[in-house]
Amino acid sequence: MKRPTIADVARAAQVSPASVSRFLNGVEGNLAPATADRIARVIQDLGYRPNAWARSLKTQRSGLVAAVVADLSNAYVPAVLEGVETTINKAGLSLLVGNARNDPRQEDRLIERLIDQRVEGLLLQPCSIHVSPVLASVLEQQIPVVLLDRILEGAESPLNLVALDNAAALQQANDHLLGQGYRQLLYVTEPTREASSRREREAAVIENRKRWYAAEIFTYRDKRSTSLVRKIMQMRSTAIEEPLAILCSNSKTALFVVRSLSEAGVQVPQDIGLMTIDDPEWAAYVFGGITAIGQPTVELGRQGAQSLLAQMSRGTEVRPRQVRLGGILKARQSTSR
Amino acid sequence: MKRPTIADVARAAQVSPASVSRFLNGVEGNLAPATADRIARVIQDLGYRPNAWARSLKTQRSGLVAAVVADLSNAYVPAVLEGVETTINKAGLSLLVGNARNDPRQEDRLIERLIDQRVEGLLLQPCSIHVSPVLASVLEQQIPVVLLDRILEGAESPLNLVALDNAAALQQANDHLLGQGYRQLLYVTEPTREASSRREREAAVIENRKRWYAAEIFTYRDKRSTSLVRKIMQMRSTAIEEPLAILCSNSKTALFVVRSLSEAGVQVPQDIGLMTIDDPEWAAYVFGGITAIGQPTVELGRQGAQSLLAQMSRGTEVRPRQVRLGGILKARQSTSR
DNA sequence: TTGAAAGCGCTAACAG
DNA sequence: CTGTTAGCGCTTTCAA
């Protein structure tokens, strides 16, 4: 039971394949209503569906767009993908998804495979900070690319980007915490080497350093919480008990900190203030509510996809657009003194 | 700057396209080492990559697999997709993702589009309970399908499935709560009409009904928490104050309940017990820890994908496999009296 | 071990 | 308004 081809339809409807094709594509030189009807009926009867491969081969369009993300297990990512998927589908295209699992080699492999599938565009949340040879060749082939969430260094020309305005978000966070009367800051982050967003956030923390009595950065590499707790104890033991707040670089970090504090029995906000960049669904319910800077995740995906679609239709020639979206401060219990 | 074709390679290497094709596919009738080397070099130089469309047209294989999910915004779903994606990629295939947003019409549209892309298999978490005409035609075409998380009624033969053993999970939950001394149960669920998993869970609750002093079911349809709170108050006002526990049908429900309880100032576990099916990352940190039945989400995706791959290679003829995975009880503060 | 040639299913000139 | 024809880039007999 092979699927019917355009030729089968043509034969059954007593017309040429060309006419069927015209019908399918709603082409200019309109068909006689009678012919069209006949074709329509046959298509219906046979359950004919055009073969995307053959069409692609001819038209050089696949109807496929790819999204390669750094880590699907970070809730931020599926939220962004939601915006991407919706937009891509509205445009009549289909979305291929690749999860690099924070491994640049895996990322390369995925990109290569997806390009081989002849995707018409690539949305990328890179898990490395520089342009890999594979990505370079993608760019060279003029395949539209839009970066999500993270920038890339060493591209010949800056790539299209949609991301959080990290500098502004951290400014907001610092303002809020200082405004609440905190005088010491402990910024907790995952290693910052490979993700530009983390770098930008950390840079902003450093920039705001002088505003604090003390501001330190804690980078966590494993799940163990002991050294973080030790760090906290150390900062809290200042002679003049300056109030201390923890700021988390993202929701994954926040989860780690929440776990650490819970295990150590540290009270929030009594003993310590807590705030995070990124506002996961649970933030409002832990410790009576954790103050957060929410990201417009779905919107970010939407805009990324739109930017890609624009490039796909207008060509890669358009000058690159760097969109920076603002975060939204949600003040909650965890930073109220 | 068009991409080089097999003909370009053939010309540059002074061989026939057929030989290049042989080289590419590592075919039996081995090439002379010298020829192979020459071809290899040219491919390298030209940066040649085979055209998937042309290959598909000829081989009738696309290298594409699709996953259509009910709702990407439920954290359970991306977790399952993670397992799916990994497995599919390991098999050298690419994954197309569609998000039906709980809309059966959208689901149909997605399936149709993906089938038009000639995917070789479909993983489906249906957002309806019965086989739509579109899906029926997919099955009729012998395209391998595996259901994730939810079953479908009215299929001619039962479809392959990987899902939680809902009956067992709810048995476990009931046992645990009764063991903790609770005597009244309030089961909170989203509307159960369209998702078989919800139906199964609700059915299990009903089955366990006699074990309770009172067991009621609360279906929430909107975000407003007032009627839930009223219900709770009503159940708590029994003459002989039988201890009450809430059981949530999944993590989305749990989030709703947590919000409602927080807003109403109900204390957990002092005033009421709380438990949920599905163990989201935040469960351990809200109300000092919410007791949950964890689902093997990633594993579920992995097994679903494997089941699909099996069907794809051995043909749809294989007898359908219904895999039911067990949940894992995580006892926490919220149900300790 | 290699090449020639046919064709997968479709579209897009070009005629008519 | 409609049909004929020539490929899109690849694989795969069949011959050499």
Side-chain angles (χ1 to χ4, degrees):
Chain A
M1 50 177 304
K2 280 180 74 293
R3 297 174 63 157
T5 74
I6 209 171
D8 297 327
V9 175
R11 203 170 314 115
Q14 322 230 54
V15 294
S16 75
S19 292
V20 180
S21 173
R22 281 181 195 112
F23 174 83
L24 255 28
N25 300 298
V27 139
E28 313 287 303
N30 250 322
L31 298 168
T35 330
D37 279 2
R38 200 140 29 89
I39 297 177
R41 185 134 7 104
V42 173
I43 287 181
Q44 192 65 263
D45 290 355
L46 267 52
Y48 167 80
R49 304 250 69 198
N51 182 321
W53 304 329
R55 181 176 279 179
S56 293
L57 197 53
K58 193 66 195 179
T59 61
Q60 307 285 23
R61 298 206 42 191
S62 63
L64 262 28
V65 164
V68 173
V69 299
D71 178 15
L72 203 49
S73 78
N74 181 338
Y76 164 86
V77 170
V80 171
L81 280 183
E82 210 185 321
V84 168
E85 199 268 356
T86 307
T87 309
I88 293 301
N89 268 302
K90 257 191 211 134
L93 306 168
S94 299
L95 181 69
L96 283 155
V97 171
N99 179 22
R101 275 170 277 143
N102 284 323
D103 175 358
R105 283 161 26 90
Q106 173 67 2
E107 178 181 293
D108 275 356
R109 248 177 275 134
L110 284 169
I111 294 179
E112 204 150 41
R113 177 172 299 159
L114 294 169
I115 294 302
D116 283 355
Q117 288 289 355
R118 295 295 207 267
V119 296
E120 297 182 38
L122 173 65
L123 287 149
L124 177 64
Q125 180 199 25
C127 57
S128 139
I129 195 85
H130 34 249
V131 178
S132 73
V134 171
L135 185 59
S137 96
V138 170
L139 295 170
E140 207 178 338
Q141 287 170 58
Q142 310 270 31
I143 295 170
V145 173
V146 172
L147 299 178
L148 295 176
D149 179 47
R150 302 175 181 179
I151 63 172
L152 240 27
E153 288 172 0
E156 301 205 358
S157 64
L159 299 175
N160 275 26
L161 167 80
V162 183
L164 180 69
D165 186 339
N166 290 302
L170 272 112
Q171 194 69 39
Q172 260 183 100
N174 275 274
D175 290 352
H176 171 79
L177 290 173
L178 286 162
Q180 294 296 310
Y182 292 100
R183 290 291 168 264
Q184 293 197 97
L185 176 72
L186 180 57
Y187 179 73
V188 183
T189 177
E190 298 172 88
T192 52
R193 303 185 65 76
E194 296 305 334
S196 75
S197 49
R198 290 183 206 151
R199 284 194 186 190
E200 292 176 351
R201 289 171 198 178
E202 185 169 311
V205 168
I206 293 172
E207 196 141 307
N208 277 277
R209 191 169 246 169
K210 310 118 222 157
R211 304 173 69 188
W212 295 89
Y213 171 78
E216 304 206 22
I217 293 173
F218 180 90
T219 303
Y220 80 98
R221 295 192 158 72
D222 55 54
K223 315 249 169 200
R224 308 200 55 245
S225 59
T226 46
S227 57
L228 172 64
V229 173
R230 202 174 320 124
K231 184 71 180 175
I232 293 170
M233 293 314 170
Q234 176 206 314
M235 288 186 81
R236 292 193 64 214
S237 64
T238 49
I240 17 159
E241 282 228 359
E242 299 287 355
L244 168 63
I246 293 187
L247 178 58
C248 306
S249 64
N250 65 23
S251 60
K252 225 172 176 179
T253 306
L255 199 66
F256 165 73
V257 171
V258 165
R259 185 161 56 72
S260 304
L261 296 180
S262 298
E263 286 171 10
V266 178
Q267 302 285 314
V268 175
Q270 295 84 339
D271 299 337
I272 198 173
L274 179 59
M275 177 170 186
T276 177
I277 307 296
D278 204 1
D279 182 25
E281 57 182 10
W282 44 267
Y285 309 109
V286 175
F287 296 147
I290 300 175
T291 298
I293 301 235
Q295 300 193 57
T297 46
V298 178
E299 179 61 19
L300 197 148
R302 201 190 316 275
Q303 292 210 23
Q306 252 149 13
S307 174
L308 188 71
L309 293 172
Q311 255 189 92
M312 283 165 51
S313 60
R314 280 175 235 155
T316 329
E317 312 306 326
V318 230
R319 71 158 170 206
R321 263 187 10 128
Q322 314 272 332
V323 180
R324 289 291 186 162
L325 302 178
I328 305 112
L329 174 67
K330 308 265 189 180
R332 302 199 179 100
Q333 281 301 316
S334 71
T335 53
S336 69
R337 302 186 56 243
Chain B
M1 47 179 308
K2 281 178 73 297
R3 294 174 66 157
T5 75
I6 207 172
D8 297 328
V9 175
R11 203 169 318 117
Q14 323 230 54
V15 294
S16 76
S19 293
V20 179
S21 173
R22 281 180 195 114
F23 174 83
L24 254 28
N25 299 300
V27 139
E28 312 288 300
N30 249 323
L31 298 168
T35 329
D37 281 1
R38 200 138 32 89
I39 297 178
R41 184 132 9 103
V42 173
I43 287 182
Q44 192 65 264
D45 290 353
L46 267 51
Y48 168 82
R49 307 248 67 197
N51 183 323
W53 304 329
R55 178 176 284 178
S56 293
L57 196 54
K58 196 69 196 176
T59 60
Q60 306 285 28
R61 297 206 43 191
S62 64
L64 260 27
V65 165
V68 174
V69 298
D71 178 15
L72 203 49
S73 77
N74 182 337
Y76 163 85
V77 170
V80 172
L81 281 184
E82 210 185 320
V84 169
E85 200 268 354
T86 307
T87 309
I88 293 301
N89 267 303
K90 255 190 212 135
L93 305 168
S94 299
L95 181 69
L96 282 155
V97 171
N99 178 23
R101 277 169 276 142
N102 284 322
D103 175 358
R105 286 162 23 88
Q106 173 67 4
E107 178 181 293
D108 275 357
R109 248 175 276 134
L110 284 168
I111 294 179
E112 203 150 43
R113 177 171 300 158
L114 293 168
I115 295 302
D116 283 356
Q117 289 287 354
R118 296 292 205 271
V119 296
E120 297 181 38
L122 172 66
L123 287 151
L124 177 64
Q125 179 199 27
C127 57
S128 141
I129 196 87
H130 34 249
V131 177
S132 73
V134 171
L135 185 58
S137 95
V138 170
L139 295 170
E140 208 178 337
Q141 288 170 56
Q142 310 269 32
I143 297 170
V145 173
V146 172
L147 298 178
L148 295 177
D149 180 46
R150 302 174 181 180
I151 63 173
L152 240 25
E153 288 172 0
E156 302 205 359
S157 64
L159 299 174
N160 275 26
L161 167 80
V162 183
L164 180 69
D165 187 339
N166 290 301
L170 270 110
Q171 195 68 41
Q172 260 184 100
N174 275 273
D175 291 351
H176 171 78
L177 290 173
L178 286 162
Q180 295 294 312
Y182 292 100
R183 289 291 167 263
Q184 293 197 98
L185 176 71
L186 180 57
Y187 179 71
V188 183
T189 176
E190 298 172 88
T192 52
R193 303 184 66 76
E194 296 305 334
S196 75
S197 48
R198 291 184 205 149
R199 286 194 184 190
E200 292 177 351
R201 289 172 199 178
E202 186 170 311
V205 168
I206 293 171
E207 197 141 308
N208 278 278
R209 191 170 247 169
K210 313 115 224 161
R211 304 173 69 189
W212 296 87
Y213 171 76
E216 304 208 21
I217 292 173
F218 180 90
T219 303
Y220 79 99
R221 294 191 158 74
D222 54 53
K223 315 248 169 194
R224 306 199 56 245
S225 59
T226 47
S227 57
L228 172 63
V229 172
R230 202 175 319 126
K231 184 72 178 174
I232 292 170
M233 292 315 170
Q234 175 207 313
M235 289 187 81
R236 292 195 61 214
S237 63
T238 49
I240 17 157
E241 280 229 355
E242 299 287 354
L244 170 63
I246 293 186
L247 177 57
C248 305
S249 65
N250 66 23
S251 61
K252 226 174 174 177
T253 306
L255 199 63
F256 164 74
V257 171
V258 165
R259 186 161 56 72
S260 305
L261 296 179
S262 298
E263 284 170 11
V266 178
Q267 301 285 314
V268 174
Q270 294 85 339
D271 300 337
I272 197 171
L274 180 60
M275 177 168 186
T276 178
I277 308 296
D278 202 4
D279 182 25
E281 56 181 11
W282 45 267
Y285 309 109
V286 175
F287 296 147
I290 300 175
T291 298
I293 302 235
Q295 300 193 56
T297 46
V298 178
E299 179 60 19
L300 197 148
R302 201 191 315 277
Q303 293 209 23
Q306 252 148 14
S307 174
L308 189 72
L309 293 172
Q311 256 190 93
M312 283 168 47
S313 60
R314 279 176 238 154
T316 330
E317 312 307 323
V318 228
R319 73 159 168 207
R321 265 187 7 130
Q322 314 271 333
V323 180
R324 290 290 186 164
L325 302 179
I328 305 110
L329 173 67
K330 307 267 187 175
R332 303 200 178 100
Q333 280 301 314
S334 70
T335 53
S336 69
R337 300 185 58 245

